[in-house]
Amino acid sequence: MLTLTQIQQILEKEKLLREFITPTRWTLTAPFDKTFHNITYDSREVDADALFFCKGNNFQQRYLEQALSEGLTCYLAEQPYDVSAELAIIVTDVRKALAVLSMAFYDYPQEKLKIIGITGTKGKTTVAYFTKQILDRTTSKKTALLSTLNTTLDGVTFFKSKLTTPESLDLYRMMAEAVENKMTHLVMEVSSQAYKVARVYGLIFDVGIFLNISPDHIGPIEHPTFEDYFYCKRQLVAHSRQVILHHEIDHFELLLELTKKKNIPVITYGNKQADYCIQPLEHPLAFSLTGAPDPFHLNGSYDILLAGDFNKENAAAALLASALVGADQKAGHQGLAEALVPGRMNLLLKSNGAHIYVDYAHNYLSMKSLLAFAKEQHPAGRLVVITGSTGNKAESRREGLGQAIGEYADLAVLTSDDPNFEDPKKIADEIQQGIKNNHVQVHFEIDRKKAIKEAIQTAGPNDAIILAGKGTDKYMTVNGESLPYEGDYHLAEKFIQ
């Protein structure tokens, strides 16, 4: 519950309160006593004891009118509306108000959990799954997870996530549920949009991991520029008690400067200049971690189930973060050896020896890393890429996908990948414009299932096929609808038989 007096105090502390408006007067002080037993931004979930938040770029007055017709008496907004309400709470920023009031409504559940926040252009989900698996060994599966793919609030039961980082009200409700389920730790991905629209406003992470940065999510409905994207991303660094940084990332010096300005302890990983050095071992799925000194007693060799040196870097980040919240080396060894990440470098083998990699790669950096690895592993065969790009978002990705394909691939089959309201052929043409290498054969096949089947059937013993973008997703978004789709991994399994 939350009282009107508490709301006033919280909003004043955050300098968000403008005024209270009743039918008879305007005031800077709560005009009467009232207790709210429900807070919501959904007009279908209101009653007389609810506080309704008028938020979102697409908010319309009719939503508020609908809520009032269902018994609502009080609303919070950035402007008063011409409606009959008992009280309007006017604030300078409704999203920030939603965040600080949500954490109070759910009794500050973040203070009852050890929280690891992970950001970066690529690798967030892999690090989240690695970290959870390690902490599961440490906490007896008392680790909750909020990832792009799946969410678990009891440590064992997973459901599909709607957003990489939930809306603030949903985030604190989920945290409270995790606390009620006796969870002790929470691992969560933190998107740039989470800071852009204040979903994590006021939240301090026990550990913040910054993996990498490259242009992505730049478009009319996301970030207008790379600078804006990077600025939002690095807010995680500024709002963490301890930070882990990859030593070789772009703009490393700026991030390090930020930690010094904020007096935030930082641990780096990567090359020999980092606090912890990662070195691949002879076995393709093994690596060593060496720190001098080694305050967390992590020096040694580790095995993972995902291919690629970049996944060894992801594993190192997970090891360090887990150690900061209580995991030991044994848990690290066991967790990494067991961790599988849906749609992340999953490998299938055709009977003739051809390799099929299924991965969610969807931008230049992730596609380049994936293709570079496959090219290195299969120098004598063809490198075949089957991919597309999502419609109505992140248009800037498309040229980057083409660039990566042009740098490494022999054949590209451009196909559908959640085209939504855009023409898949138009998206494919924009990807193809980024392919500067004339030696790359490019074909378009709108039917993704057909494209995958033909590629696998014609693959030779030394070939590598990359199925990028969809992973294990069981739907295809077309014209606003989520249509059933078998998933790249399942289709590949079926076709290699």
Side-chain angles (χ1 to χ4, degrees), residues 186-329:
L186 168 63
V187 179
M188 62 179 287
E189 296 180 43
V190 185
S191 66
S192 57
Q193 282 292 303
Y195 280 105
K196 182 75 172 174
V197 298
R199 291 176 193 154
V200 289
Y201 176 79
L203 178 60
I204 303 297
F205 295 90
D206 293 289
V207 181
I209 307 174
F210 200 111
L211 300 171
N212 46 64
I213 187 72
S214 66
D216 196 11
H217 296 287
I218 299 169
I221 62 172
E222 294 180 281
H223 297 279
T225 62
F226 171 75
E227 186 280 332
D228 184 71
Y229 172 62
F230 181 38
Y231 175 77
C232 291
K233 279 284 189 192
R234 68 178 183 258
Q235 294 312 301
L236 177 75
V237 173
H239 294 89
S240 296
R241 295 186 177 93
Q242 172 83 55
V243 171
I244 297 170
L245 295 178
H246 190 287
H247 195 273
E248 286 75 66
I249 61 174
D250 290 345
H251 306 288
F252 171 77
E253 294 299 333
L254 184 147
L255 294 170
L256 192 62
E257 182 183 4
L258 180 58
T259 64
K260 291 177 180 177
K261 274 182 161 297
K262 297 282 187 178
N263 293 316
I264 301 169
V266 61
I267 302 169
T268 62
Y269 66 98
N271 61 19
K272 292 181 180 179
Q273 282 71 52
D275 296 322
Y276 277 87
C277 175
I278 306 157
Q279 291 186 306
L281 298 178
E282 184 176 353
H283 191 283
L285 298 178
F287 71 97
S288 69
L289 191 67
T290 307
D294 177 25
F296 306 112
H297 308 291
L298 293 175
N299 284 354
S301 61
Y302 298 86
D303 296 317
I304 57 176
L305 296 175
L306 277 68
D309 287 348
F310 53 91
N311 280 321
K312 295 167 186 175
E313 296 172 348
N314 291 333
L319 282 167
L320 291 167
S322 301
L324 283 169
V325 294
D328 60 17
Q329 187 180 44

Side-chain angles (χ1 to χ4, degrees), residues 377-395:
Q377 298 296 311
H378 307 275
R382 292 189 314 157
L383 186 54
V384 181
V385 181
I386 299 174
T387 193
S389 189
T390 53
N392 304 109
K393 64 184 290 189
E395 289 89 344

Side-chain angles (χ1 to χ4, degrees), residues 63-94:
Y63 301 146
L64 176 57
E65 292 171 349
Q66 176 188 343
L68 291 167
S69 71
E70 296 294 329
L72 181 77
T73 61
C74 302
Y75 69 90
L76 186 148
E78 292 177 4
Q79 65 179 52
Y81 290 91
D82 186 16
V83 295
S84 296
E86 184 178 326
L87 177 67
I89 306 172
I90 308 304
V91 297
T92 57
D93 190 314
V94 67

